[in-house]
Amino acid sequence: MTRAVRVPSKSCATCGRTITWRKKWERDWDEVRYCSDACRSQKPGAADREMQAAILQLLAARGAGKTICPSEAARAVAGSDEEHAWRPLMEPAREAARRLVASGHIVITQDGRVVDPSHAKGAIRLRRA
């Protein structure tokens, strides 16, 4: 009987996606923080922290067990009267949500079930962990 080997993983510091261990990182796995060169060049900044704070504030206002859509956080951060000013902030909102999942603050759900944030496609909801 063969045993399944568990491969270590961690979350990207920028986008929150899962980084799976690779043989080439064997010597410096502890220093690996980013999933790609693009994420390495776009480290989280003040706008990213603002998006994370908006998600947590919206969830706190909503109450225990309730969910929000990432678009609500994008709209809160955009703060513009323009109808579609929040749309460019949707991917940053999803990235902020993945970072919050990695830190254990929230979970991402689809159809009421918790899903892996690295593989979630389509509409998602955010809920306190």
Side-chain angles (χ1 to χ4, degrees):
M1 184 161 103
T2 59
R3 286 193 147 177
V5 177
R6 182 158 177 165
V7 178
S9 64
K10 57 174 92 173
S11 295
C12 175
T14 299
C15 69
R17 288 189 171 94
T18 302
I19 305 170
T20 305
W21 184 88
R22 297 180 188 168
K23 178 74 173 162
K24 71 178 187 175
W25 292 332
E26 186 172 28
R27 291 185 184 169
D28 58 352
W29 175 244
D30 293 335
E31 287 81 41
V32 173
R33 297 191 57 216
Y34 305 101
C35 66
S36 66
D37 290 335
C39 282
R40 184 177 295 108
S41 67
Q42 296 177 326
K43 296 178 177 98
D48 298 302
R49 287 187 292 279
E50 181 183 4
M51 186 67 73
Q52 287 179 218
I55 290 170
L56 293 174
Q57 287 173 344
L58 287 166
L59 285 170
R62 192 63 52 95
K66 303 293 183 183
T67 65
I68 65 164
C69 179
S71 66
E72 294 177 57
R75 286 181 172 116
V77 170
S80 175
D81 291 334
E82 232 179 283
E83 189 172 331
H84 298 292
W86 57 272
R87 286 196 185 274
L89 296 176
M90 278 303 295
E91 186 54 32
R94 291 174 73 100
E95 289 174 358
R98 286 191 295 263
R99 285 191 302 273
L100 288 169
V101 167
S103 67
H105 288 91
I106 69 169
V107 293
I108 293 179
T109 65
Q110 283 184 317
D111 297 324
R113 293 184 311 274
V114 175
V115 295
D116 178 7
S118 294
H119 302 292
K121 303 271 191 247
I124 61 173
R125 303 288 295 178
L126 312 177
R127 183 180 73 210
R128 283 195 161 293

